[in-house]
Amino acid sequence: MPLNYKYLITADELSRLTGQSVKETLTSFDKKKLIELPESNKIGIPPPLIREYLGEKGVDYSFRVIAHMNMKGGVGKTTSAISVATRAVQYGFRTCILDMDPQACASQAFERRPEDDELVFYDIWRQPSEGITKALKIIDDHFYIIPSSLGNSLLDSDLTIPDLQKKAVQGVCEALKVKGFDLVLIDCPPSPGAVLISTICATDILVIPLCGEAFSFEGMELTFNEVISICKAFGIKPPDIKILYTKYDKRVKISGDILQRLATKYREYLIPVPIRISTEFSKAIEKRETVFASAKKNVARDDYDRYVKYLLKLSEIEY
């Protein structure tokens, strides 16, 4: 095997998805290709095998671009992007994170910050087909990242022409599609500008995370309105907009109040899976991984798994 397969779905998890017993699930795979997970005494199934198995069940692996965006920082944007990415890999999606934030938090989360002579988005957007291979950094099998650096902060001064804004991110995503990726997860900077405009033009699904505080809600509404405004200005169909409530704490009154406001005003956009507050996120980041690097059950892992199943429509398949 090419790598250590850090991100694996277990036979137990797959059986819960399909409604089969673990024993029935394992009969579908060559036992020699399965991996024992000593820390949990469970059986891990490599992504290529999962892809083949779920593909036969009807799971859609067609190419798509998903962006996590909010003009307010500290709302769980990066955590959501990297968590979705790693879980998608476990479900067999060939996944690339496109880190567009000059702060490079997603890159740092996997210890994939670029060296001074390595390429980031700013270096390849003009001719993506030529630079894409050099910009990609591998995280695990079927799992890559195009890291970010302060160099991406120069994009606003270069992407001043609307036609360039429309095509920059789109061109890089098309190059990733040609490279065989199914899924691109974009982590956006928490500020308005050319990067957000270009990302909106390239995105199929745009997720706006927010947490339980007033400024976060205002940032969500500002982002929502900006997306609609930009799509009108460019004469393009808006992406499928979703709102994700993160850091939900039912013990705090404002958390419940904001959830009610969302359910009332943005019901058709609200993802019905609030992400509960958990210390597991910070523990995972300290280890330079996500909550899906371990098969250990916790609310953080459960919530993001439900979110990914919803986002990628895995729960809609009749297994």
mmCIF file of all heavy atoms in Angstrom, residues 230-246:
data_model
loop_
_atom_site.group_PDB
_atom_site.id
_atom_site.type_symbol
_atom_site.label_atom_id
_atom_site.label_comp_id
_atom_site.label_asym_id
_atom_site.label_seq_id
_atom_site.Cartn_x
_atom_site.Cartn_y
_atom_site.Cartn_z
ATOM 1 N N ILE A 230 -23.152 39.022 -5.910
ATOM 2 C CA ILE A 230 -22.075 38.719 -6.860
ATOM 3 C C ILE A 230 -22.599 37.872 -8.021
ATOM 4 O O ILE A 230 -22.248 38.113 -9.190
ATOM 5 C CB ILE A 230 -20.918 38.003 -6.134
ATOM 6 C CG1 ILE A 230 -20.169 39.001 -5.250
ATOM 7 C CG2 ILE A 230 -19.954 37.344 -7.125
ATOM 8 C CD1 ILE A 230 -19.185 38.374 -4.295
ATOM 9 N N CYS A 231 -23.444 36.914 -7.723
ATOM 10 C CA CYS A 231 -23.993 36.068 -8.786
ATOM 11 C C CYS A 231 -24.851 36.885 -9.752
ATOM 12 O O CYS A 231 -24.810 36.670 -10.973
ATOM 13 C CB CYS A 231 -24.799 34.920 -8.186
ATOM 14 S SG CYS A 231 -23.778 33.682 -7.359
ATOM 15 N N LYS A 232 -25.596 37.831 -9.223
ATOM 16 C CA LYS A 232 -26.383 38.707 -10.089
ATOM 17 C C LYS A 232 -25.468 39.568 -10.952
ATOM 18 O O LYS A 232 -25.704 39.754 -12.151
ATOM 19 C CB LYS A 232 -27.297 39.591 -9.244
ATOM 20 C CG LYS A 232 -28.489 38.864 -8.644
ATOM 21 C CD LYS A 232 -29.375 39.825 -7.855
ATOM 22 C CE LYS A 232 -30.590 39.107 -7.279
ATOM 23 N NZ LYS A 232 -31.446 40.038 -6.477
ATOM 24 N N ALA A 233 -24.411 40.095 -10.359
ATOM 25 C CA ALA A 233 -23.489 40.964 -11.088
ATOM 26 C C ALA A 233 -22.792 40.219 -12.225
ATOM 27 O O ALA A 233 -22.547 40.789 -13.296
ATOM 28 C CB ALA A 233 -22.455 41.549 -10.132
ATOM 29 N N PHE A 234 -22.485 38.939 -12.001
ATOM 30 C CA PHE A 234 -21.792 38.153 -13.015
ATOM 31 C C PHE A 234 -22.756 37.390 -13.922
ATOM 32 O O PHE A 234 -22.328 36.732 -14.866
ATOM 33 C CB PHE A 234 -20.831 37.161 -12.349
ATOM 34 C CG PHE A 234 -19.528 37.780 -11.932
ATOM 35 C CD1 PHE A 234 -19.390 38.389 -10.695
ATOM 36 C CD2 PHE A 234 -18.430 37.778 -12.784
ATOM 37 C CE1 PHE A 234 -18.189 38.959 -10.304
ATOM 38 C CE2 PHE A 234 -17.229 38.348 -12.413
ATOM 39 C CZ PHE A 234 -17.101 38.941 -11.162
ATOM 40 N N GLY A 235 -24.038 37.485 -13.637
ATOM 41 C CA GLY A 235 -25.021 36.805 -14.468
ATOM 42 C C GLY A 235 -24.909 35.292 -14.415
ATOM 43 O O GLY A 235 -25.113 34.616 -15.427
ATOM 44 N N ILE A 236 -24.586 34.749 -13.222
ATOM 45 C CA ILE A 236 -24.431 33.303 -13.089
ATOM 46 C C ILE A 236 -25.438 32.761 -12.070
ATOM 47 O O ILE A 236 -25.945 33.498 -11.226
ATOM 48 C CB ILE A 236 -23.008 32.914 -12.649
ATOM 49 C CG1 ILE A 236 -22.681 33.540 -11.278
ATOM 50 C CG2 ILE A 236 -21.989 33.320 -13.692
ATOM 51 C CD1 ILE A 236 -21.349 33.092 -10.710
ATOM 52 N N LYS A 237 -25.711 31.482 -12.176
ATOM 53 C CA LYS A 237 -26.604 30.828 -11.232
ATOM 54 C C LYS A 237 -25.905 30.715 -9.875
ATOM 55 O O LYS A 237 -24.748 30.304 -9.810
ATOM 56 C CB LYS A 237 -26.973 29.437 -11.741
ATOM 57 C CG LYS A 237 -27.910 28.666 -10.831
ATOM 58 C CD LYS A 237 -28.176 27.278 -11.383
ATOM 59 C CE LYS A 237 -29.045 26.469 -10.425
ATOM 60 N NZ LYS A 237 -29.288 25.095 -10.933
ATOM 61 N N PRO A 238 -26.580 31.098 -8.789
ATOM 62 C CA PRO A 238 -25.943 30.985 -7.471
ATOM 63 C C PRO A 238 -25.628 29.533 -7.141
ATOM 64 O O PRO A 238 -26.330 28.615 -7.579
ATOM 65 C CB PRO A 238 -27.010 31.538 -6.514
ATOM 66 C CG PRO A 238 -27.916 32.352 -7.368
ATOM 67 C CD PRO A 238 -27.932 31.689 -8.715
ATOM 68 N N PRO A 239 -24.577 29.299 -6.381
ATOM 69 C CA PRO A 239 -24.315 27.939 -5.909
ATOM 70 C C PRO A 239 -25.418 27.503 -4.956
ATOM 71 O O PRO A 239 -26.240 28.321 -4.531
ATOM 72 C CB PRO A 239 -22.967 28.073 -5.181
ATOM 73 C CG PRO A 239 -22.890 29.512 -4.781
ATOM 74 C CD PRO A 239 -23.602 30.269 -5.857
ATOM 75 N N ASP A 240 -25.430 26.231 -4.638
ATOM 76 C CA ASP A 240 -26.382 25.713 -3.657
ATOM 77 C C ASP A 240 -25.898 26.164 -2.274
ATOM 78 O O ASP A 240 -24.915 25.647 -1.756
ATOM 79 C CB ASP A 240 -26.405 24.180 -3.748
ATOM 80 C CG ASP A 240 -27.460 23.557 -2.859
ATOM 81 O OD1 ASP A 240 -28.253 24.311 -2.264
ATOM 82 O OD2 ASP A 240 -27.471 22.315 -2.750
ATOM 83 N N ILE A 241 -26.574 27.153 -1.705
ATOM 84 C CA ILE A 241 -26.133 27.752 -0.437
ATOM 85 C C ILE A 241 -26.665 26.951 0.748
ATOM 86 O O ILE A 241 -27.851 26.627 0.818
ATOM 87 C CB ILE A 241 -26.594 29.211 -0.327
ATOM 88 C CG1 ILE A 241 -26.052 30.037 -1.502
ATOM 89 C CG2 ILE A 241 -26.150 29.820 0.996
ATOM 90 C CD1 ILE A 241 -26.598 31.459 -1.557
ATOM 91 N N LYS A 242 -25.763 26.624 1.666
ATOM 92 C CA LYS A 242 -26.117 25.918 2.891
ATOM 93 C C LYS A 242 -25.587 26.706 4.087
ATOM 94 O O LYS A 242 -24.558 27.371 3.997
ATOM 95 C CB LYS A 242 -25.508 24.512 2.914
ATOM 96 C CG LYS A 242 -25.866 23.635 1.727
ATOM 97 C CD LYS A 242 -27.318 23.216 1.757
ATOM 98 C CE LYS A 242 -27.639 22.247 0.626
ATOM 99 N NZ LYS A 242 -29.078 21.879 0.618
ATOM 100 N N ILE A 243 -26.291 26.615 5.202
ATOM 101 C CA ILE A 243 -25.859 27.263 6.444
ATOM 102 C C ILE A 243 -25.604 26.180 7.490
ATOM 103 O O ILE A 243 -26.471 25.340 7.741
ATOM 104 C CB ILE A 243 -26.918 28.259 6.944
ATOM 105 C CG1 ILE A 243 -27.086 29.398 5.921
ATOM 106 C CG2 ILE A 243 -26.529 28.828 8.304
ATOM 107 C CD1 ILE A 243 -28.251 30.332 6.227
ATOM 108 N N LEU A 244 -24.413 26.203 8.071
ATOM 109 C CA LEU A 244 -24.018 25.197 9.052
ATOM 110 C C LEU A 244 -23.808 25.859 10.413
ATOM 111 O O LEU A 244 -22.979 26.758 10.549
ATOM 112 C CB LEU A 244 -22.723 24.503 8.610
ATOM 113 C CG LEU A 244 -22.140 23.476 9.580
ATOM 114 C CD1 LEU A 244 -23.060 22.260 9.684
ATOM 115 C CD2 LEU A 244 -20.735 23.051 9.133
ATOM 116 N N TYR A 245 -24.538 25.386 11.404
ATOM 117 C CA TYR A 245 -24.414 25.926 12.757
ATOM 118 C C TYR A 245 -23.344 25.130 13.506
ATOM 119 O O TYR A 245 -23.502 23.935 13.751
ATOM 120 C CB TYR A 245 -25.766 25.831 13.471
ATOM 121 C CG TYR A 245 -25.866 26.622 14.751
ATOM 122 C CD1 TYR A 245 -24.824 27.418 15.212
ATOM 123 C CD2 TYR A 245 -27.031 26.599 15.504
ATOM 124 C CE1 TYR A 245 -24.932 28.152 16.377
ATOM 125 C CE2 TYR A 245 -27.158 27.327 16.682
ATOM 126 C CZ TYR A 245 -26.096 28.100 17.107
ATOM 127 O OH TYR A 245 -26.204 28.834 18.265
ATOM 128 N N THR A 246 -22.256 25.796 13.876
ATOM 129 C CA THR A 246 -21.155 25.137 14.571
ATOM 130 C C THR A 246 -21.080 25.598 16.033
ATOM 131 O O THR A 246 -21.700 26.597 16.414
ATOM 132 C CB THR A 246 -19.810 25.439 13.888
ATOM 133 O OG1 THR A 246 -19.508 26.842 14.042
ATOM 134 C CG2 THR A 246 -19.858 25.103 12.402
#
